[in-house]
Amino acid sequence: MSGPQIPGLALRNPVIIAAGCGGTGRELAAYSPLDALGAFTTRTITLNPRPGGPAPRVVETPSGLVHSTGCPNPGLEGFLATELPPLVQAGARVVVSVAAASVQEYAELVRRLGRAPGIAAVEVNLSAPDAAAHGLFDVREPFHMTSVLTAVLRELPAGIPVLAKLRPDVLRVVEAARTAVESGAVAVVVGGPQPAALPDGRAAGLSGPAVRPLALRCVTEVRAALPSLPVIGAGGIGTAADARDFLRAGATAVQVGTALLHDPTAAARLVAELASDDAALAGTAPAEPSPPVRPSRPVQINTDPSQEQPR
């Protein structure tokens, strides 16, 4: 399968693991080899360790998940010491998701992150629907986004491209995408969790099949307004048919997230099925579809709620 091209980031194929949904990578590797994926996005990393929000953090609904994790992570130093090296050793193209409590903290975080080897790109998480509730910098307005991206681009080495993960606000997603590219992002990720609430009223995000049509609308709107900007679609993608819808709408690649919580082989299955599309177009389609990859042992990924951050 030919890999899509994003300036500075050559993906192996269009299937990317969404932030937080592949655990640390060790859990997912048994079901979706990391070196066979387009890229692997880490859970969102902050400058200092975060324990995450109070339980319950994830509640299942009939058509998706409502979640408010608080971005639990070991902090930058813990990530560099314990999570990044195994990902690099496994051959993953590592996209590091980052968030911070202030513009100054964003700058400090990426200045130190940029010195680490093996990072293919940085994804700035500007989409968390519960950011303010968890003490993260709330990027609702374009000038906030410009401030963050300007600081990140100033501190990162030039060879590390920056992706901007945007709020899936259908009414303002084009405005946000335009601001991101004008601020220096090489691509945008659109269609993540929609603002929602847990049963106890805490601010949360809704992800999974329920948000897929809204995410597709976001991709379509951005593609129409900014045809030269690479767009990565995210939101409720779990099958090859879902991925094809986004690619036909103009997405350069897709992120898989919530689907992995039910089926950790979902990403490998999408890679195989989309590869058969390329083979069919080239007249070399296999006689039979590639069999889906099945777990060789009980599913263990994301059983620890502290590592869940569905998309």
Side-chain angles (χ1 to χ4, degrees):
M1 178 171 27
S2 56
Q5 298 298 312
I6 292 174
L9 176 62
L11 301 172
R12 294 190 176 98
N13 56 64
V15 180
I16 302 172
I17 301 300
C21 297
T24 64
R26 298 182 183 91
E27 304 90 338
L28 185 66
Y31 309 103
S32 293
L34 303 185
D35 59 356
L37 298 169
F40 179 94
T41 310
T42 69
R43 56 175 160 170
T44 295
I45 303 301
T46 52
L47 184 60
N48 299 310
R50 291 174 60 92
R57 295 175 176 172
V58 180
V59 174
E60 189 162 15
T61 74
S63 54
L65 296 177
V66 180
H67 46 88
S68 179
T69 66
C71 294
N73 75 92
L76 178 62
E77 294 305 322
F79 169 73
L80 295 177
T82 64
E83 297 188 11
L84 180 61
L87 290 171
V88 174
Q89 189 173 16
R93 286 201 198 289
V94 182
V95 178
V96 182
S97 173
V98 297
S102 67
V103 173
Q104 293 74 20
E105 193 171 293
Y106 267 109
E108 175 66 15
L109 172 62
V110 300
R111 178 164 55 248
R112 293 160 60 179
L113 179 65
R115 301 175 190 143
I119 297 173
V122 166
E123 178 182 286
V124 183
N125 185 356
L126 305 170
S127 69
D130 54 352
H134 292 298
L136 297 175
F137 193 62
D138 197 357
V139 186
R140 291 180 184 272
E141 299 301 327
F143 72 92
H144 287 143
M145 184 185 303
T146 296
S147 298
V148 169
L149 291 174
T150 298
V152 167
L153 286 158
R154 184 181 63 239
E155 300 298 337
L156 266 184
I160 301 179
V162 171
L163 318 179
K165 185 164 188 174
L166 308 177
R167 286 175 177 270
D169 181 342
V170 173
L171 298 179
R172 300 190 67 179
V173 70
V174 170
E175 177 187 15
R178 184 174 286 113
T179 299
V181 69
E182 289 176 352
S183 300
V186 300
V188 294
V189 182
V190 298
Q194 289 285 335
L198 289 167
D200 60 11
R202 283 180 290 150
L206 170 66
S207 64
V211 308
R212 189 166 56 245
L214 296 171
L216 191 58
R217 169 71 179 268
C218 289
V219 169
T220 303
E221 295 278 340
V222 173
R223 170 55 58 200
L226 302 165
S228 63
L229 175 64
V231 179
I232 300 171
I237 297 170
T239 69
D242 299 337
R244 291 177 189 121
D245 288 343
F246 279 78
L247 296 173
R248 279 195 294 266
T252 301
V254 297
Q255 289 192 348
V256 182
T258 301
L260 294 169
L261 303 181
H262 287 287
D263 178 8
T265 71
R269 178 165 41 78
L270 263 62
V271 170
E273 292 178 4
L274 294 177
S276 71
D277 288 356
D278 280 1
L281 289 173
T284 57
E288 296 181 356
S290 300
V293 179
R294 296 297 179 194
S296 57
R297 54 188 172 85
V299 173
Q300 296 179 352
I301 185 170
N302 285 320
T303 54
D304 179 0
S306 69
Q307 295 185 358
E308 291 179 354
Q309 189 181 341
R311 291 289 185 268

